[in-house]
PDB file of all heavy atoms in Angstrom:
ATOM      1  N   TRP J  10     -21.820  -4.961  71.710  1.00 97.00           N
ATOM      2  CA  TRP J  10     -22.852  -4.223  70.884  1.00 97.00           C
ATOM      3  C   TRP J  10     -22.389  -2.971  70.147  1.00 97.00           C
ATOM      4  O   TRP J  10     -23.089  -2.056  70.085  1.00 97.00           O
ATOM      5  CB  TRP J  10     -24.220  -3.896  71.752  1.00 97.00           C
ATOM      6  CG  TRP J  10     -25.030  -5.049  72.003  1.00 97.00           C
ATOM      7  CD1 TRP J  10     -25.806  -5.738  71.114  1.00 97.00           C
ATOM      8  CD2 TRP J  10     -25.207  -5.712  73.303  1.00 97.00           C
ATOM      9  NE1 TRP J  10     -26.510  -6.813  71.871  1.00 97.00           N
ATOM     10  CE2 TRP J  10     -26.155  -6.725  73.110  1.00 97.00           C
ATOM     11  CE3 TRP J  10     -24.669  -5.497  74.505  1.00 97.00           C
ATOM     12  CZ2 TRP J  10     -26.628  -7.608  74.119  1.00 97.00           C
ATOM     13  CZ3 TRP J  10     -25.099  -6.541  75.592  1.00 97.00           C
ATOM     14  CH2 TRP J  10     -26.010  -7.383  75.326  1.00 97.00           C
ATOM     15  N   ASP J  12     -19.238   0.119  69.741  1.00 92.00           N
ATOM     16  CA  ASP J  12     -18.632   1.099  70.637  1.00 92.00           C
ATOM     17  C   ASP J  12     -17.653   0.482  71.484  1.00 92.00           C
ATOM     18  O   ASP J  12     -17.496   1.075  72.602  1.00 92.00           O
ATOM     19  CB  ASP J  12     -19.726   1.770  71.475  1.00 92.00           C
ATOM     20  CG  ASP J  12     -20.939   2.289  70.539  1.00 92.00           C
ATOM     21  OD1 ASP J  12     -20.574   2.873  69.601  1.00 92.00           O
ATOM     22  OD2 ASP J  12     -22.070   2.158  70.928  1.00 92.00           O
ATOM     23  N   ASN J  37     -24.002   4.268  60.179  1.00 92.00           N
ATOM     24  CA  ASN J  37     -24.499   4.049  61.484  1.00 92.00           C
ATOM     25  C   ASN J  37     -23.283   3.906  62.642  1.00 92.00           C
ATOM     26  O   ASN J  37     -23.562   4.050  63.737  1.00 92.00           O
ATOM     27  CB  ASN J  37     -25.309   2.716  61.489  1.00 92.00           C
ATOM     28  CG  ASN J  37     -24.602   1.599  60.783  1.00 92.00           C
ATOM     29  OD1 ASN J  37     -23.613   1.713  60.175  1.00 92.00           O
ATOM     30  ND2 ASN J  37     -25.313   0.373  60.903  1.00 92.00           N
ATOM     31  N   ALA J  38     -22.119   3.633  61.881  1.00 88.00           N
ATOM     32  CA  ALA J  38     -20.921   3.483  62.871  1.00 88.00           C
ATOM     33  C   ALA J  38     -20.294   4.763  63.160  1.00 88.00           C
ATOM     34  O   ALA J  38     -20.413   5.804  62.410  1.00 88.00           O
ATOM     35  CB  ALA J  38     -19.938   2.495  62.178  1.00 88.00           C
ATOM     36  N   GLY J 127     -34.691   0.934  67.729  1.00 91.00           N
ATOM     37  CA  GLY J 127     -33.795   2.011  68.189  1.00 91.00           C
ATOM     38  C   GLY J 127     -32.701   2.129  67.196  1.00 91.00           C
ATOM     39  O   GLY J 127     -31.521   2.241  67.632  1.00 91.00           O
ATOM     40  N   THR J 129     -30.270   3.825  64.206  1.00 91.00           N
ATOM     41  CA  THR J 129     -29.454   5.067  64.141  1.00 91.00           C
ATOM     42  C   THR J 129     -30.251   5.991  63.061  1.00 91.00           C
ATOM     43  O   THR J 129     -29.746   7.055  62.907  1.00 91.00           O
ATOM     44  CB  THR J 129     -28.167   4.883  63.649  1.00 91.00           C
ATOM     45  OG1 THR J 129     -28.020   4.222  62.358  1.00 91.00           O
ATOM     46  CG2 THR J 129     -27.276   4.090  64.685  1.00 91.00           C
ATOM     47  N   GLN J 223     -19.660  -1.919  64.271  1.00 95.00           N
ATOM     48  CA  GLN J 223     -20.673  -2.505  65.153  1.00 95.00           C
ATOM     49  C   GLN J 223     -19.998  -3.557  65.990  1.00 95.00           C
ATOM     50  O   GLN J 223     -18.855  -3.637  65.926  1.00 95.00           O
ATOM     51  CB  GLN J 223     -22.045  -2.886  64.492  1.00 95.00           C
ATOM     52  CG  GLN J 223     -22.870  -1.783  63.940  1.00 95.00           C
ATOM     53  CD  GLN J 223     -22.579  -1.382  62.523  1.00 95.00           C
ATOM     54  OE1 GLN J 223     -22.266  -2.090  61.752  1.00 95.00           O
ATOM     55  NE2 GLN J 223     -22.484   0.048  62.407  1.00 95.00           N
ATOM     56  N   THR J 238     -28.255  -4.964  63.848  1.00 97.00           N
ATOM     57  CA  THR J 238     -28.137  -4.236  62.618  1.00 97.00           C
ATOM     58  C   THR J 238     -28.307  -5.149  61.347  1.00 97.00           C
ATOM     59  O   THR J 238     -28.641  -6.282  61.639  1.00 97.00           O
ATOM     60  CB  THR J 238     -26.793  -3.453  62.526  1.00 97.00           C
ATOM     61  OG1 THR J 238     -26.833  -2.553  61.456  1.00 97.00           O
ATOM     62  CG2 THR J 238     -25.504  -4.299  62.434  1.00 97.00           C
ATOM     63  N   ARG J 301     -26.612   9.585  71.856  1.00 87.00           N
ATOM     64  CA  ARG J 301     -27.457   8.964  72.898  1.00 87.00           C
ATOM     65  C   ARG J 301     -26.669   8.588  74.059  1.00 87.00           C
ATOM     66  O   ARG J 301     -25.552   7.856  73.896  1.00 87.00           O
ATOM     67  CB  ARG J 301     -28.186   7.808  72.276  1.00 87.00           C
ATOM     68  CG  ARG J 301     -29.245   8.190  71.283  1.00 87.00           C
ATOM     69  CD  ARG J 301     -30.002   6.807  70.724  1.00 87.00           C
ATOM     70  NE  ARG J 301     -29.191   6.154  69.853  1.00 87.00           N
ATOM     71  CZ  ARG J 301     -29.659   5.036  69.125  1.00 87.00           C
ATOM     72  NH1 ARG J 301     -30.784   4.492  69.333  1.00 87.00           N
ATOM     73  NH2 ARG J 301     -28.810   4.445  68.328  1.00 87.00           N
TER      74      ARG J 301
HETATM   75  P1  LIG F   1     -29.123   0.453  62.486  1.00 80.14           P
HETATM   76  O1  LIG F   1     -27.812  -0.215  62.194  1.00 80.14           O
HETATM   77  O2  LIG F   1     -29.176   1.878  62.442  1.00 80.14           O
HETATM   78  O3  LIG F   1     -30.334  -0.258  61.744  1.00 80.14           O
HETATM   79  O4  LIG F   1     -29.443   0.193  64.006  1.00 80.14           O
HETATM   80  C1  LIG F   1     -29.693  -1.177  64.455  1.00 80.14           C
HETATM   81  C2  LIG F   1     -29.229  -1.352  65.882  1.00 80.14           C
HETATM   82  O5  LIG F   1     -27.823  -1.336  65.849  1.00 80.14           O
HETATM   83  C3  LIG F   1     -29.540  -0.246  66.909  1.00 80.14           C
HETATM   84  O6  LIG F   1     -29.750  -0.802  68.189  1.00 80.14           O
HETATM   85  C4  LIG F   1     -28.335   0.716  66.858  1.00 80.14           C
HETATM   86  O7  LIG F   1     -28.376   1.417  68.047  1.00 80.14           O
HETATM   87  C5  LIG F   1     -27.296  -0.330  66.729  1.00 80.14           C
HETATM   88  N1  LIG F   1     -26.097   0.256  66.141  1.00 80.14           N
HETATM   89  C6  LIG F   1     -25.787   0.495  64.747  1.00 80.14           C
HETATM   90  N2  LIG F   1     -24.525   0.992  64.586  1.00 80.14           N
HETATM   91  C7  LIG F   1     -24.040   0.904  65.881  1.00 80.14           C
HETATM   92  C8  LIG F   1     -22.744   1.416  66.342  1.00 80.14           C
HETATM   93  O8  LIG F   1     -21.832   1.732  65.499  1.00 80.14           O
HETATM   94  N3  LIG F   1     -22.456   1.358  67.645  1.00 80.14           N
HETATM   95  C9  LIG F   1     -23.403   0.876  68.449  1.00 80.14           C
HETATM   96  N4  LIG F   1     -24.722   0.473  68.211  1.00 80.14           N
HETATM   97  C10 LIG F   1     -24.899   0.529  66.794  1.00 80.14           C
END
Side-chain angles (χ1 to χ4, degrees):
W10 281 287
D12 309 315
N37 47 352
T129 58
Q223 292 89 40
T238 190
R301 289 182 287 181

